[in-house]
Amino acid sequence: MHYDGLNYRITTIADSAFYNSGITELQLPNSITRIGRWAMADAFDLSSVTLPLKLEEVSRGMLAGTDITSVIIPEGVTHIDDSAFEDCNRLHSVFLPSTLLEVGDYAFDGCHS
């Protein structure tokens, strides 16, 4: 990210960073390795997100309650935490990596599509 004449390398998105926001689309840079808990939860209009290729895990409630329809979990992710996609009513396709070892409780609860 470039700001005030300086370049910054973003590696983390904070817990609840976009919680209940009005964002509709989010493209995260590949430098990000961690996305905090509930980072994009209840951003009801969020329908498109591009997860970074270096993401290490899908955190608790990360995209819960959003309008995303599909998601690609990048290779290297080994864990999808509890409630990660809970109540994503429009979610109809999920591409899981071969590196995935564990899916937490209620990770896809309420995903009826």
Side-chain angles (χ1 to χ4, degrees):
M1 179 175 103
H2 187 77
Y3 176 75
D4 200 22
L6 298 172
N7 286 320
Y8 296 90
R9 184 168 184 224
I10 299 171
T11 59
T12 302
I13 300 294
D15 292 350
S16 303
F18 298 99
Y19 180 82
N20 199 21
S21 71
I23 61 171
T24 59
E25 181 179 334
L26 190 59
Q27 294 182 355
L28 299 171
N30 287 327
S31 61
I32 292 176
T33 58
R34 182 183 178 282
I35 299 173
R37 293 178 170 200
W38 309 100
M40 296 162 263
D42 293 338
F44 299 109
D45 296 326
L46 181 62
S47 60
S48 175
V49 63
T50 302
L51 296 177
L53 295 176
K54 295 182 181 180
L55 188 65
E56 295 171 353
E57 78 168 3
V58 175
S59 63
R60 179 181 302 257
M62 187 174 86
L63 285 158
T66 63
D67 271 351
I68 61 168
T69 57
S70 66
V71 65
I72 299 172
I73 309 295
E75 285 295 321
V77 170
T78 59
H79 182 79
I80 296 175
D81 207 346
D82 300 343
S83 303
F85 301 96
E86 187 173 6
D87 294 328
C88 291
N89 299 322
R90 296 182 182 208
L91 183 62
H92 62 80
S93 64
V94 179
F95 296 92
L96 302 172
S98 63
T99 53
L100 186 65
L101 300 174
E102 183 179 3
V103 176
D105 294 335
Y106 309 106
F108 296 96
D109 188 48
C111 300
H112 303 292
S113 294

